[in-house]
Amino acid sequence: MSTNTKKSYQTTVYCGIENGKPIMKHIRADTQRELNVKRNALKAQVDDGKNIYDKAVFGIWADKWLNEIKIPAGIGNGTLVQYKSAIAHLNREFEFVEMKHITLSQFQSFINELARENPNTGKPMAKATLENIKKVASGVFGYARSNNIAGVPDFFKSVIISKYSPVNERRALTEDEQQWIIETPHRAQLPAMIMMFAGLRRGEVIALEWSDIDLKRGLISVNKSVEFVENKGDIKKGGKTVNAKRKVPIPPILVEYLSKTKKESKVLSKYVCVNASGNYHTQSSWRKMWDSYLNDLNVKYGYDGDISKFNPKYGAELPMRIPRITPHFLRHTFATLLFLEGVNVVSAKQFLGHADISTTVNIYTHLENFNKAELSEEYLKKLKNEYKVTA
């Protein structure tokens, strides 16, 4: 804030970080115009990643990089959340360090430490998370170099993510688990069936409208997706990527289920999967619904004690006896159905809405070791009939 005195005009400008402490520069001028010129010149230096000691510290440039990449199309809120999380980890180590002083050895040690223990969970950090942190750091360093910050190194191709780092589990549901979804009525059964037999992502199924479903032709048109900013969802046309917009052929079991659900629905919202208010889900309403669904599955299929002794009025919860089922497991189940039915990888990529065919190829390659002999005769019959996706 500027202060007018009889002798001069003066103000204070934040100019960076030195030894972990903020640097405030006090400037004076004889006129308001002169003060504005000096202040704007000083702020311009700060905006260029420089403080009054002409040092470019990581934290300042990480903020600048993050603000800049919000502009290009295709950067969704989910991706920004991942980037912010990566920067939070990086700032613990490098926020007040000049980038030119960060070495490959220091960064590799930082990655190795996270691989041993994520400070947020106390467990080893997942490989995908480590890769994201490396990617973000490389982006910040590259952005600084492109803005003519001297001495900023480029060593990220040499940073090694251990192949032994844990990988986030992605699996298809077992025969039994698929049957649990089919046989257990619940508000979440509807989105679960769509994700399992049409491969829609969570955001796509939340935004899905009845007008997007052609039951006569057995097709779902995926043309929008919800993106959560904090709790509230924002429906955007298109999808997660350019390739996410697609038409998905659905098997007879899903056509029959959707036809019955639509016919029996008392209050038909334009959205297929709605919250208690009849609108599309917020993040919290989805989470509550999904947790309730998993609890019902556990009560029905997972609890191995005497259910008659369980009294819910005391606020107790049944122990989870079955592994937590996620929307991605259901989507991966659809990919597995396509593979087992012999749908070619190009068609599978289109139905799943993958941006890069290598993603689909990786799934199919992983499934090549799938032993069909382990499938029951009943399930094999369903693959040819009820579960059959006609490409």
Side-chain angles (χ1 to χ4, degrees):
M1 180 177 180
S2 300
T3 304
N4 188 357
T5 70
K6 291 182 179 180
K7 294 183 178 181
S8 66
Y9 290 80
Q10 53 191 319
T11 191
T12 302
V13 178
Y14 168 81
C15 294
I17 300 290
E18 177 68 15
N19 297 324
K21 296 181 180 180
I23 300 166
M24 307 302 296
K25 178 71 172 177
H26 190 71
I27 54 176
R28 295 174 182 269
D30 293 332
T31 66
Q32 182 66 54
R33 182 176 181 180
E34 183 185 357
L35 182 69
N36 290 341
V37 171
K38 287 185 176 182
R39 179 177 55 196
N40 291 339
L42 197 55
K43 283 187 174 181
Q45 285 186 305
V46 174
D47 290 340
D48 286 337
K50 300 175 182 179
N51 57 34
I52 58 174
Y53 295 99
D54 201 29
K55 294 181 179 179
V57 298
F58 177 83
I60 291 176
W61 278 93
D63 287 342
K64 284 176 65 63
W65 175 81
L66 189 63
N67 288 329
E68 288 295 327
I69 64 169
K70 290 180 182 178
I71 298 173
I75 302 296
N77 185 66
T79 301
L80 287 174
V81 169
Q82 291 181 356
Y83 288 173
K84 288 178 181 178
S85 176
I87 288 173
H89 283 293
L90 288 159
N91 276 343
R92 286 195 184 100
E93 186 78 13
F94 303 115
E95 183 174 9
F96 306 125
V97 181
E98 285 187 83
M99 284 185 286
K100 68 180 182 180
H101 292 154
I102 299 174
T103 66
L104 170 60
S105 176
Q106 288 174 323
F107 194 86
Q108 185 67 66
S109 296
F110 164 71
I111 288 292
N112 293 345
E113 183 61 32
L114 290 178
R116 286 189 288 270
E117 181 179 349
N118 181 337
N120 294 335
T121 65
K123 299 178 181 179
M125 183 171 281
K127 184 176 182 180
T129 307
L130 292 170
E131 293 283 5
N132 184 55
I133 290 173
K134 175 183 172 182
K135 173 185 174 181
V136 168
S138 178
V140 174
F141 275 58
Y143 184 70
R145 284 194 304 274
S146 67
N147 281 275
N148 300 318
I149 299 301
V152 178
D154 183 12
F155 49 66
F156 292 95
K157 290 182 180 179
S158 300
V159 175
I160 300 171
I161 307 295
S162 173
K163 64 180 180 181
Y164 299 109
S165 298
V167 177
N168 291 328
E169 183 182 24
R170 294 185 178 184
R171 67 173 181 86
L173 301 192
T174 64
E175 284 187 47
D176 286 341
E177 289 170 331
Q178 291 176 44
Q179 203 60 35
W180 297 346
I181 301 295
I182 295 168
E183 294 178 352
T184 306
H186 190 279
R187 283 195 309 119
Q189 183 188 29
L190 177 55
M193 288 287 289
I194 295 172
M195 290 185 286
M196 185 165 73
F197 287 114
L200 272 65
R201 301 175 175 91
R202 183 189 67 164
E204 294 168 343
V205 81
I206 290 175
L208 187 68
E209 298 181 13
W210 284 108
S211 60
D212 299 322
I213 303 175
D214 187 338
L215 292 171
K216 291 183 178 180
R217 298 173 61 197
L219 287 173
I220 288 181
S221 177
V222 182
N223 51 52
K224 53 190 168 297
S225 180
V226 69
E227 183 178 274
F228 289 112
V229 179
E230 295 181 350
N231 182 48
K232 187 69 173 68
D234 180 27
I235 292 182
K236 294 188 175 182
K237 296 294 183 181
K240 183 178 179 181
T241 66
V242 175
N243 295 283
K245 188 176 180 180
R246 62 199 188 276
K247 291 188 181 296
V248 184
I250 58 178
I253 187 172
L254 184 56
V255 172
E256 182 180 349
Y257 175 81
L258 291 173
S259 299
K260 183 180 178 182
T261 300
K262 186 176 182 180
K263 185 178 180 180
E264 295 178 351
S265 180
K266 295 179 181 179
V267 180
L268 192 63
S269 166
K270 73 173 184 177
Y271 296 107
V272 177
C273 306
V274 296
N275 59 20
S277 302
N279 204 346
Y280 67 87
H281 280 280
T282 63
Q283 201 160 26
S284 59
S285 68
W286 174 275
R287 183 172 58 252
K288 289 177 182 177
M289 178 191 71
W290 198 255
D291 287 345
S292 170
Y293 186 41
L294 295 180
N295 186 68
D296 280 10
L297 292 174
N298 269 276
V299 169
K300 189 173 181 180
Y301 301 104
Y303 189 64
D304 58 5
D306 185 353
I307 191 65
S308 64
K309 295 180 180 179
F310 175 71
N311 192 337
K313 77 176 184 178
Y314 294 112
E317 292 186 1
L318 288 171
M320 291 292 194
R321 300 291 180 177
I322 62 174
R324 183 176 181 85
I325 295 172
T326 70
H328 194 89
F329 287 9
L330 295 164
R331 178 168 157 80
H332 200 76
T333 301
F334 180 67
T336 303
L337 291 176
L338 296 177
F339 173 81
L340 293 175
E341 293 170 8
V343 175
N344 66 69
V345 71
V346 175
S347 295
K349 172 191 177 294
Q350 294 171 347
F351 298 158
L352 290 162
H354 287 152
D356 191 332
I357 197 168
S358 65
T359 305
T360 322
V361 171
N362 288 338
I363 294 173
Y364 267 42
T365 301
H366 174 72
L367 290 171
E368 285 179 355
N369 295 322
F370 195 100
N371 187 359
K372 280 192 175 182
E374 295 179 357
L375 298 174
S376 67
E377 288 188 20
E378 181 182 0
Y379 191 80
L380 291 172
K381 289 180 182 178
K382 289 178 179 178
L383 286 174
K384 294 181 179 179
N385 299 295
E386 297 173 65
Y387 300 174
K388 182 67 177 177
V389 176
T390 303

